[in-house]
Amino acid sequence: MNILVIGEYYSSNLGDGVICQIVVALLKQRHPNSNIDVVDISNEVDYKDKRRVRTKYYEFQRKIDYYFRYRFFKKTEYRENKYRFMHKKAYIKKMCRGNYDLAIFAGGQLFMDYFVFPIYYYVKYLSKRNIPIIFNACGSGPIHDKKLIRMMKKALNNEKIKSISTRDDLQKLQALYFDAYGSQIQKTFDPALCTEEVYDITEIQTDKIGLGVIYCKNITEEENLSIWRNIIRELEKRKLKWEIFCNGSPEDFAFGNRLLTYLGYSEKERMSHIAQRPQRPQELVDTISRYQKIISFRLHSHIIAYSLNIPSIALIWDEKLKFFFKKINHEERCLNALTSSKKVVDLLIEIEYEKEDSELKEVQKGYLKELLYTNIEL
């Protein structure tokens, strides 16, 4: 069997890479003789720091970019995403020419504005070649532009799609994109639940608390700094060791360093309070595996921790966090980011990984694998 796996394989937010690698591993478990090609939905070809150096030439490019996006295209979500996608169409067409028996969108938050154009054209070109398509454990994010919603709806209702499963809000997905077909969407769980069985853990667990930071437009820089300052001071008051980490995003890592500067740490002191930025999915798994417990913003830091039997507390910035913690029966561990640091640390001290967590995790892993395999073999 020749399979094309599509996902955010080379995203600097390494949780997406974890998803893709796990789906490939699960496919290999079921079909060991299959040939699997992986393509990054954003056309990336390697893990790398994608930030641009701010040279004079870069600033000139930004001005040109501003003119085309905001003047020529008269900025709308549709036009902005079309502009971002224009140079990718030929590459997608080329990738869909392979002799594939099946194409699988691996998962992650793909049903959102940023991925509408690539999803639309992957489905278009794959369906022209009569290649069956599966959307596996996909999450939904914001799409406000009506043109983008219509494009996504057309893509997801293509007759060549064998199955669609979601890890998030099934009812919301049905209401936005489906009519009669909506009843066939299936609920599932995130593939990252299988982290422990797919990755070799090379790190030894310490007594440190991992603090997973994020650079996020939903929260102002001042609020973000204040949230972490209060949590860190509360941890220090109780003589608990801590370390800042990120999921791989250079912006998140840069924020972590700004936070330590804000707290008054020298450059030398900062090195002992922040983990190196992971640049591969295995490195992210290794980083999280070192911690006794974590407090974090990023969803996949929690799913990976859960898979590794590490208790965690989520600071909410996106509804997808609530869906995950509800599924593992720990909604109480999903807190508003502005919750008092005392309450956060009180709860942190209280939580433990329990036998019931392990039993539920095994049930959910079994379900997500069996659903994936069943949909492949339909």
Side-chain angles (χ1 to χ4, degrees):
M1 181 182 287
N2 295 321
I3 304 173
L4 178 66
V5 174
I6 307 163
E8 276 275 90
Y9 194 86
Y10 293 117
S11 170
S12 60
N13 178 12
L14 296 168
D16 294 304
V18 168
I19 290 172
C20 292
Q21 290 186 353
I22 287 175
V23 168
V24 169
L26 295 180
L27 293 173
K28 281 291 187 182
Q29 284 179 16
R30 186 73 161 200
H31 299 281
N33 298 320
S34 61
N35 176 56
I36 300 174
D37 292 333
V38 182
V39 60
D40 184 276
I41 197 170
S42 298
N43 290 25
E44 300 294 344
V45 294
D46 195 6
Y47 294 103
K48 57 180 183 261
D49 187 339
K50 301 174 183 67
R51 291 179 300 172
R52 300 293 300 274
V53 178
R54 292 182 175 274
T55 61
K56 288 183 179 179
Y57 178 65
Y58 170 67
E59 294 300 333
F60 172 74
Q61 284 183 312
R62 285 187 66 201
K63 288 179 182 177
I64 297 297
D65 180 70
Y66 175 87
Y67 175 81
F68 275 99
R69 261 203 270 184
Y70 293 84
R71 296 293 182 84
F72 186 74
F73 280 120
K74 296 180 182 176
K75 186 194 174 186
T76 66
E77 267 190 355
Y78 174 83
R79 287 171 174 167
E80 192 169 2
N81 281 281
K82 183 178 181 180
Y83 170 80
R84 186 188 294 124
F85 172 79
M86 281 191 300
H87 66 288
K88 301 179 181 180
K89 188 175 174 181
Y91 176 79
I92 291 175
K93 192 172 186 177
K94 177 184 175 183
M95 290 307 302
C96 294
R97 287 176 185 155
N99 186 28
Y100 297 112
D101 301 299
L102 181 69
I104 300 176
F105 287 85
Q109 197 172 30
L110 295 183
F111 297 151
M112 61 181 294
D113 54 5
Y114 189 85
F115 298 114
V116 171
F117 274 92
I119 285 174
Y120 180 86
Y121 281 98
Y122 268 112
V123 170
K124 177 180 178 179
Y125 294 136
L126 288 167
S127 62
K128 278 186 176 181
R129 294 181 58 80
N130 292 315
I131 298 170
I133 303 161
I134 290 173
F135 283 89
N136 175 64
C138 292
S140 55
I143 304 180
H144 304 294
D145 191 293
K146 290 181 180 178
K147 285 187 179 179
L148 290 179
I149 292 173
R150 285 198 295 269
M151 281 184 71
M152 184 68 87
K153 185 172 183 177
K154 184 176 180 180
L156 296 184
N157 284 277
N158 188 289
E159 62 181 9
K160 287 298 174 183
I161 295 177
K162 292 176 66 176
S163 66
I164 296 174
S165 60
T166 181
R167 69 181 190 198
D168 289 346
D169 189 341
L170 185 145
Q171 285 72 32
K172 178 182 176 183
L173 206 58
Q174 287 176 337
L176 265 178
Y177 304 121
F178 301 97
D179 299 317
Y181 183 74
S183 60
Q184 298 178 41
I185 306 173
Q186 299 158 305
K187 282 187 177 181
T188 190
F189 304 96
D190 195 286
L193 284 178
C194 299
T195 297
E196 185 179 27
E197 67 181 69
V198 169
Y199 289 92
D200 293 324
I201 308 302
T202 60
E203 297 288 335
I204 298 173
Q205 192 175 72
T206 69
D207 58 354
K208 288 183 178 179
I209 307 300
L211 306 179
V213 297
I214 188 173
Y215 174 73
C216 177
K217 293 179 180 177
N218 295 13
I219 306 167
T220 68
E221 178 94 353
E222 293 74 19
E223 285 177 332
N224 209 348
L225 290 169
S226 177
I227 288 165
W228 286 115
R229 177 196 62 201
N230 295 338
I231 289 173
I232 288 170
R233 294 305 181 227
E234 190 66 31
L235 290 171
E236 289 177 338
K237 187 192 300 183
R238 305 187 194 206
K239 298 184 172 14
L240 295 172
K241 297 178 183 177
W242 55 272
E243 182 178 73
I244 291 169
F245 75 95
C246 72
N247 274 29
S249 163
E251 289 79 11
D252 292 358
F253 185 69
F255 172 77
N257 276 293
R258 289 199 300 277
L259 171 60
L260 290 172
T261 301
Y262 172 76
L263 293 172
Y265 290 99
S266 66
E267 185 175 351
K268 186 177 180 180
E269 290 171 327
R270 289 204 301 270
M271 292 176 65
S272 63
H273 284 293
I274 188 168
Q276 288 187 341
R277 181 174 76 86
Q279 299 183 51
R280 298 287 189 278
Q282 177 72 58
E283 293 172 16
L284 173 61
V285 173
D286 287 342
T287 298
I288 292 172
S289 72
R290 295 200 303 260
Y291 301 126
Q292 185 185 72
K293 300 176 182 180
I294 69 169
I295 304 169
S296 183
F297 277 95
R298 290 279 187 191
L299 173 64
H300 279 91
S301 61
H302 296 287
I303 303 177
I304 292 167
Y306 183 70
S307 177
L308 301 179
N309 304 339
I310 297 169
S312 69
I313 290 176
L315 302 179
I316 300 172
W317 65 282
D318 190 295
E319 292 297 308
K320 60 188 178 182
L321 289 157
K322 291 182 179 180
F323 283 106
F324 171 67
F325 278 86
K326 184 175 181 179
K327 284 181 176 179
I328 65 170
N329 297 330
H330 284 302
E331 292 175 85
E332 79 284 357
R333 298 182 187 178
C334 209
L335 303 177
N336 186 295
L338 299 178
T339 301
S340 78
S341 57
K342 184 179 183 306
K343 287 184 179 180
V344 173
V345 178
D346 281 344
L347 182 58
L348 179 76
I349 292 170
E350 176 187 321
I351 62 175
E352 296 294 341
Y353 193 87
E354 300 167 351
K355 181 183 176 183
E356 290 78 9
D357 296 322
S358 187
E359 291 171 348
L360 178 60
K361 182 178 69 178
E362 291 306 312
V363 169
Q364 293 181 347
K365 282 166 55 181
Y367 180 87
L368 75 88
K369 286 192 279 188
E370 195 53 41
L371 181 63
L372 174 62
Y373 297 149
T374 300
N375 287 336
I376 289 172
E377 291 153 13
L378 280 174

